[in-house]
Amino acid sequence: DVKVTQSSRYLVKRTGEKVFLECVQDMDHENMFWYRQDPGLGLRLIYFSYDVKMKEKGDIPEGYSVSREKKERFSLILESASTNQTSMYLCASSSPGTAVYEQYFGPGTRLTVT
Amino acid sequence: GNSVTQMEGPVTLSEEAFLTINCTYTATGYPSLFWYVQYPGEGLQLLLKATKADDKGSNKGFEATYRKETTSFHLEKGSVQVSDSAVYFCALSDRGRSGGYQKVTFGTGTKLQVIP
């Protein structure tokens, strides 16, 4: 089974802090994604990566950056956390080799910025 | 651009009731369609999928049929259980690729609550 793990389930940070969210997958997937999930808005793509050291902006990249130094690990960075970044953050991975595209998700990190 | 519209929740049903969650989409070309489920405190997991018109995806008693003429992919189950309580997301995947990535567009989710 594909396993996607995220470093924390719950996180509380103060405004202005630098925040790191880590995601690791064990299926050698090329693609990795960061989404945020908010009530009434569904999932919105923040950033994705289709290879080591490669990254692409998603729909809402402002206020975030990412790092992918190893294939299995994809980090989301909030350079200076703000209260409007309080949300559930979901990491996902996939392989472009499959004919039908599907993503495998981690359990999520619920981040609260006070 | 692509979009997915699903019925707003929450949907509250009694155990053994029939379930329908409506989903319609807008897309260019021929997308693949998915239903994901998110149980409380967990991430999303794929429930079922369909890749072309008239395909029927099914899993765990849930079914959805890819209707190109009505651009719909409604989720159905004949008899729901308390354990089906979760949030259900309809999604589509555009077959166009950019750098090996196929964009997935998600609906806003529909919360289902099944009471005994």
Side-chain angles (χ1 to χ4, degrees):
Chain A
D1 278 354
V2 175
K3 190 158 186 176
V4 180
T5 57
Q6 296 184 228
S7 52
S8 305
R9 296 298 298 272
Y10 300 93
L11 209 53
V12 180
K13 296 292 183 180
R14 293 187 182 276
T15 301
E17 279 193 80
K18 190 169 186 176
V19 181
F20 293 87
L21 303 182
E22 305 284 337
C23 175
V24 177
Q25 50 93 4
D26 66 358
M27 281 301 291
D28 202 35
H29 281 170
E30 290 83 354
N31 299 333
M32 296 189 74
F33 311 86
W34 276 106
Y35 294 90
R36 63 177 283 175
Q37 181 183 6
D38 299 289
L41 297 177
L43 274 70
R44 293 180 291 167
L45 182 64
I46 304 171
Y47 268 97
F48 67 96
S49 168
Y50 53 86
D51 201 353
V52 175
K53 296 192 185 297
M54 304 300 289
K55 60 185 179 184
E56 293 283 345
K57 293 180 180 179
D59 299 320
I60 51 163
E62 297 78 19
Y64 303 94
S65 62
V66 291
S67 171
R68 187 144 182 225
E69 297 296 320
K70 294 184 178 180
K71 191 174 185 180
E72 69 270 18
R73 188 180 297 270
F74 192 35
S75 302
L76 179 69
I77 303 156
L78 287 66
E79 296 288 343
S80 178
S82 64
T83 55
N84 63 12
Q85 292 178 310
T86 292
S87 186
M88 170 71 89
Y89 290 88
L90 294 170
C91 176
S93 73
S94 73
S95 172
T98 56
V100 179
Y101 189 72
E102 61 182 271
Q103 297 185 0
Y104 296 87
F105 284 82
T109 296
R110 186 166 294 281
L111 172 68
T112 301
V113 182
T114 62
Chain B
N2 297 339
S3 67
V4 175
T5 303
Q6 51 183 119
M7 58 190 292
E8 286 193 27
V11 174
T12 302
L13 295 174
S14 297
E15 207 165 19
E16 299 184 1
F18 185 86
L19 168 72
T20 299
I21 300 179
N22 291 336
C23 171
T24 57
Y25 67 90
T26 302
T28 55
Y30 303 94
S32 295
L33 301 175
F34 307 87
W35 276 100
Y36 282 84
V37 59
Q38 184 179 33
Y39 296 105
E42 299 183 13
L44 279 70
Q45 54 185 274
L46 183 68
L47 180 60
L48 53 84
K49 60 192 176 191
T51 60
K52 61 183 187 296
D54 300 325
D55 266 3
K56 178 184 281 188
S58 61
N59 186 26
K60 299 182 181 179
F62 290 89
E63 292 182 342
T65 301
Y66 190 144
R67 301 285 188 202
K68 196 172 189 320
E69 65 277 12
T70 55
T71 61
S72 64
F73 193 55
H74 304 322
L75 183 69
E76 296 181 336
K77 186 175 185 183
S79 175
V80 294
Q81 306 300 312
V82 172
S83 57
D84 294 326
S85 298
V87 181
Y88 292 82
F89 291 89
C90 186
L92 69 83
S93 169
D94 191 328
R95 293 189 182 187
R97 286 180 179 265
S98 172
Y101 165 64
Q102 284 181 312
K103 182 177 172 65
V104 178
T105 302
F106 290 88
T108 55
T110 302
K111 184 174 182 178
L112 170 66
Q113 183 176 7
V114 181
I115 54 178

